[in-house]
Amino acid sequence: MPNDRPALRRDEPALPPDHRAEAHLRFIRDTMSRTAEFTAVSGWGGVAMGVTALGAAALAAQQPDVSGWLRVWAAEALVGFAIGAWTTARKAQQHGAPLLSGQGRKFLLGLAPAIFTGLVLTLAVYGFDLDAARYDAVVAGAEPSLSLRLLPGLWLLLYGAGVVSAGMFSIRLIPLLGAALMLVGTLALLSPAAWGDAWMAAGFGGLHLAFGLLIAYRHGG
């Protein structure tokens, strides 16, 4: 199997001229794919994620308890993930951009640790609420719980941090979106728990809509 790197040492066997030229071209293409920006983030996917997040915020605000509230946002997270994955894969295919190699893989790896951390913290905070209720540390009608107090800000802050990290391998709008999400998450953590759904609507809804439209307009969909 021919090596993609051109022969650099004198003791390496010389390739025929046509094979050597082909190896040089492969090496240049691979180098360019590793250093280019990942441009397959879908703006229209961001718009769709923003619309579903606004609906989820309205529905979550009507839930009578924290379990119902958490189920709404867990369902929204799955819907948003499915929309983002499908639209980004579709745009990558249309533009011939690799999704699981080169900058695409770095983008996904940059986002994954923050998502995993958010999942673990959600389980820990909700578990604390369940334990508190079990031992009557929280009496009926004593909402807001720790979940309602902390999770909106934590989700926005961690998701924003992941988007900033992943955005280092993508277009400039992506890390800007992440920074804006981190700002909204910080404000949510410093605000009363009753404002949580409003901050979630502003971050996951409004920012996804605004930046999605910008990405769709400037970067081809």
Side-chain angles (χ1 to χ4, degrees):
M1 180 177 179
N3 190 347
D4 284 349
R5 292 178 61 86
L8 299 176
R9 298 177 180 173
R10 292 178 183 276
D11 55 351
E12 289 184 2
L15 295 170
D18 54 339
H19 288 186
R20 192 162 56 241
E22 187 179 346
H24 275 87
L25 286 174
R26 278 199 300 268
F27 179 72
I28 291 171
R29 281 197 296 266
D30 289 347
T31 302
M32 291 178 66
S33 70
R34 285 194 293 268
T35 57
E37 292 178 336
F38 180 64
T39 58
V41 177
S42 171
W44 294 122
V47 171
M49 291 166 69
V51 171
T52 60
L54 289 176
L59 185 60
Q62 301 174 13
Q63 299 305 305
D65 53 34
V66 68
S67 297
W69 178 85
L70 197 57
R71 281 195 293 271
V72 170
W73 281 113
E76 165 57 21
L78 292 175
V79 170
F81 175 79
I83 292 173
W86 182 73
T87 54
T88 297
R90 191 165 178 268
K91 186 174 179 180
Q93 185 179 24
Q94 290 173 343
H95 291 245
L99 188 60
L100 300 178
S101 62
Q103 299 301 75
R105 184 175 63 178
K106 291 177 182 177
F107 182 89
L108 296 175
L109 291 177
L111 188 60
I115 301 298
F116 177 76
T117 303
L119 176 61
V120 172
L121 286 177
T122 299
L123 295 175
V125 172
Y126 183 57
F128 178 87
D129 271 344
L130 292 179
D131 287 342
R134 187 176 305 141
Y135 292 105
D136 294 327
V138 174
V139 298
E143 298 283 7
S145 70
L146 193 64
S147 297
L148 295 176
R149 179 68 185 85
L150 292 181
L151 289 182
L154 286 177
W155 287 340
L156 287 160
L157 199 57
L158 285 169
Y159 179 60
V163 172
V164 169
S165 178
M168 295 297 106
F169 309 103
S170 186
I171 55 178
R172 186 176 301 178
L173 282 172
I174 302 301
L176 288 177
L177 168 62
L181 285 162
M182 291 180 69
L183 174 62
V184 175
T186 302
L187 294 174
L189 283 173
L190 299 176
S191 302
W195 298 8
D197 287 314
W199 288 120
M200 299 269 275
F204 292 123
L207 289 177
H208 269 144
L209 270 170
F211 278 84
L213 288 172
L214 281 174
I215 293 169
Y217 176 73
R218 294 184 181 179
H219 299 281

